[in-house]
Amino acid sequence: MKALFAAVVLAAGATSALAQMSPVGLWRSVDDKTGESKAEIRISEPGGALQGRIEKTLRKDAKPDAVCEECTDDRKGKPMAGLEIIRGGKKAEGKDVWEGGKILDPENGKEYRASLTPIDGGKKLEVRGYLGPFWRTQTWNRVQ
């Protein structure tokens, strides 16, 4: 009986660890230039493709009724809280990286090709936005 219990506990722990090596969850974005926490983003995977929405902004000067003024698509004028900033992206075959999607920078309204890679055992998420041959990377922290 003890062996069965131990096996169940170990299996549950392994499943939990595997689930953490995914971008799905709640993340705190950190400005790569200032180190300031910017927002909490909830990433989900409905239908097998990533979707990420701002749950709340964390900047000291953030207005609670702020909207995406710089957006140029269907998100223009939408509230920052609930704004979809990640669209698409699927797990690359044989790798712990999700790619093929887009990420929006609501501060400038630009959308970039994106790749998301869980690192540090899934505690951090490397978020890379590409524009042509250039890229910028931020490291987000998982919110417990």
Side-chain angles (χ1 to χ4, degrees):
M1 191 61 143
K2 287 181 184 180
L4 178 61
F5 178 74
V8 169
V9 169
L10 286 174
T15 302
S16 175
L18 288 174
Q20 295 295 313
M21 287 305 290
S22 160
V24 172
L26 184 62
W27 299 92
R28 182 162 291 154
S29 68
V30 178
D31 189 298
D32 54 317
K33 294 176 185 168
T34 67
E36 178 186 10
S37 293
K38 294 167 66 173
E40 286 186 355
I41 294 101
R42 168 97 40 207
I43 299 177
S44 59
E45 201 170 9
L50 295 179
Q51 178 184 73
R53 295 185 181 276
I54 297 173
E55 282 212 351
K56 66 180 174 179
T57 55
L58 301 172
R59 289 188 175 226
K60 297 172 188 106
D61 60 348
K63 297 177 182 148
D65 59 345
V67 298
C68 191
E69 295 174 12
E70 300 298 324
C71 293
T72 58
D73 58 11
D74 61 303
R75 296 170 278 200
K76 184 165 185 69
K78 301 280 185 186
M80 288 293 194
L83 188 70
E84 184 180 27
I85 63 166
I86 297 172
R87 289 182 171 172
K90 296 186 179 203
K91 189 172 192 300
E93 194 171 324
K95 298 189 229 173
D96 282 333
V97 61
W98 279 252
E99 49 193 17
K102 302 276 187 173
I103 188 164
L104 170 76
D105 183 343
E107 292 177 4
N108 64 22
K110 292 182 181 175
E111 194 171 52
Y112 304 90
R113 288 181 300 122
S115 71
L116 292 90
T117 307
I119 58 174
D120 195 15
K123 295 176 188 170
K124 296 180 182 284
L125 185 65
E126 187 177 81
V127 180
R128 183 169 287 174
Y130 297 89
L131 185 59
F134 305 102
W135 71 86
R136 183 171 149 199
T137 303
Q138 291 183 342
T139 302
W140 296 359
N141 300 308
R142 188 179 292 276
V143 176
Q144 297 302 322

